[in-house]
Amino acid sequence: MVLYAAAFIAFALDLARRSAQVKAGNTVGVDGSVTTAPRVLETASVGSGVGASSAGGAASVAVAEAPAGERATDAADRAVATTGGRASGGRDGGQNLKGRFGADGSITQRSLSLRLGMAFTLLGFLLEVTADVVRGIAAQRVPWANMYEFSMTGTVLIIGVFLVVNTRVDLRFLGTFITGLVLILLGISTVNYYVVIAPLPPALQSAWLVIHVFVASLGTAFFALGFALSGIQLLQSRREVSGSALKFVKLKFLASLPDSTRLENLAYRVNIVGFVFWTFTLIAGAVWAERAWGRYWGWDTKEVWTFIIWVIYAGYIHARATRGWRGSRSAWLAIIGFAAVLFNFGIVNVFFHGLHSYSGL
């Protein structure tokens, strides 16, 4: 939780940095990189035969005329870039500056806080995976047989899905929301759900415990990512229409994120993956129920809410694909679906008693 908290702070600082740079009129990319407007420097004229001394003179002039607050080394490097990078007399001296200086003299800087956020998230993920594995070794079974263990495994998968998806699509701007959600879930489970290791009830002594619960956790992880994307989509859509995401708060960092259409498409894709896993969860649960209790469906509270979640996401996919429900309506359906997932996890498992009362509390 400490590492996830550090990641949350780093991601939040990145969003604050984005807002400040957008306000300053700079260009901020989805990856958090900031490109400042090119500045015209009155440096010494450099001819084709000029060597290190002339380039050094240009650098000294640039340092003298550098804008307030700019590091002298940055100004000198920028001046060297304008001379073709030949301060050392080599033909490829400027190649080390590629990616930092544009051809027009603009400067691109990457977000240190964003990189720190991903590093802390990865470290926290590895540590939590270790804790989850150790819990399983101590219990001599899979570590998701009660609410505490399910919370730990579920949050591991949420972070894992976030990290894996980032290898395909840059969604690091969701880091604040994902790590914040995981922090809340871990905090609640640590305070309220912790139990000592206990033997499994007879109904849980089945291979379906491995399959059914793990797939349900994986589906929940994809739904969590879709929830975060849909929430950002609503804010972005409002900003695009009215110029402000919220009435009293100006979330300028939204200008650096993908547009609402792109966010909606990404949310739709991850929610479809989650829906596939949840469909399997529903089917596997029915098969397991027949093995354990002699019937496929008994209208138990847990069974009903699992089906309600499936219906909400099925409606979301169907309405968007066939009825043209786009924009805020589809986003709200996705958010309602994940709210039902949280209700199923935090309320049904704890306060409703039935055949599925295996919270361990």
Side-chain angles (χ1 to χ4, degrees):
M1 288 180 66
V2 170
L3 287 169
Y4 287 149
F8 175 84
I9 293 171
F11 284 128
L13 288 174
D14 174 69
L15 295 183
R17 172 179 174 271
R18 290 171 186 255
S19 295
Q21 294 296 337
V22 169
K23 185 176 181 180
N26 296 324
T27 302
V28 184
V30 174
D31 62 352
S33 61
V34 176
T35 302
T36 58
R39 297 185 178 94
V40 179
L41 299 176
E42 296 180 0
T43 58
S45 175
V46 181
S48 58
V50 178
S53 60
S54 296
S60 63
V61 173
V63 171
E65 299 181 359
E70 182 178 11
R71 294 188 307 167
T73 54
D74 289 344
D77 287 346
R78 179 158 48 82
V80 173
T82 63
T83 67
R86 302 180 187 276
S88 62
R91 296 183 60 183
D92 59 349
Q95 290 184 1
N96 292 331
L97 302 175
K98 287 183 178 180
R100 187 175 183 183
F101 298 98
D104 59 354
S106 61
I107 304 175
T108 300
Q109 297 176 333
R110 298 188 181 278
S111 174
L112 176 60
S113 55
L114 194 61
R115 286 179 287 170
L116 286 175
M118 288 300 290
F120 284 132
T121 302
L122 180 59
L123 289 174
F125 171 74
L126 295 175
L127 187 61
E128 192 178 9
V129 166
T130 303
D132 210 23
V133 170
V134 169
R135 175 81 177 194
I137 293 173
Q140 297 183 347
R141 54 169 170 75
V142 290
W144 51 74
N146 53 57
M147 285 287 288
Y148 174 72
E149 295 172 358
F150 183 82
S151 299
M152 189 156 56
T153 301
T155 51
V156 161
L157 290 176
I158 290 174
I159 296 294
V161 167
F162 173 66
L163 292 173
V164 170
V165 172
N166 265 285
T167 63
R168 302 295 300 273
V169 183
D170 193 344
L171 296 181
R172 291 177 295 173
F173 58 85
L174 292 178
T176 305
F177 310 96
I178 296 299
T179 55
L181 174 65
V182 167
L183 266 176
I184 293 172
L185 294 176
L186 280 178
I188 293 174
S189 66
T190 302
V191 173
N192 298 309
Y193 299 156
Y194 179 79
V195 292
V196 297
I197 296 172
L200 287 177
L204 294 184
Q205 296 174 11
S206 169
W208 286 107
L209 173 65
V210 180
I211 303 170
H212 172 71
V213 181
F214 179 80
V215 173
S217 304
L218 197 57
T220 300
F222 279 96
F223 286 153
L225 196 59
F227 163 74
L229 285 166
S230 295
I232 295 295
Q233 175 199 334
L234 287 177
L235 295 175
Q236 188 72 289
S237 178
R238 184 180 177 87
R239 186 190 71 86
E240 292 169 353
V241 173
S242 62
S244 177
L246 298 175
K247 189 173 182 180
F248 301 106
V249 181
K250 294 182 179 180
L251 304 176
K252 292 186 177 296
F253 68 85
L254 291 171
S256 67
L257 305 187
D259 59 33
S260 59
T261 302
R262 172 65 172 165
L263 291 169
E264 180 183 356
N265 290 334
L266 290 171
Y268 182 65
R269 289 163 62 183
V270 297
N271 280 327
I272 283 181
V273 177
F275 179 74
V276 171
F277 285 124
W278 200 260
T279 301
F280 180 84
T281 298
L282 195 63
I283 296 172
V287 175
W288 189 8
E290 195 277 332
R291 298 282 181 87
W293 303 310
R295 87 289 189 278
Y296 289 99
W297 192 264
W299 297 104
D300 185 71
T301 308
K302 187 72 173 179
E303 294 172 347
V304 171
W305 270 100
T306 302
F307 181 67
I308 288 173
I309 294 167
W310 185 89
V311 169
I312 293 173
Y313 278 102
Y316 160 78
I317 294 172
H318 178 76
R320 190 182 182 278
T322 63
R323 303 292 298 177
W325 275 39
R326 302 295 176 92
S328 60
R329 289 188 295 184
S330 67
W332 277 116
L333 270 178
I335 291 172
I336 291 171
F338 189 69
V341 172
L342 293 180
F343 182 86
N344 186 39
F345 168 71
I347 303 299
V348 174
N349 284 350
V350 177
F351 298 103
F352 289 80
H353 298 288
L355 292 175
H356 290 80
S357 299
Y358 299 122
S359 65
L361 303 178

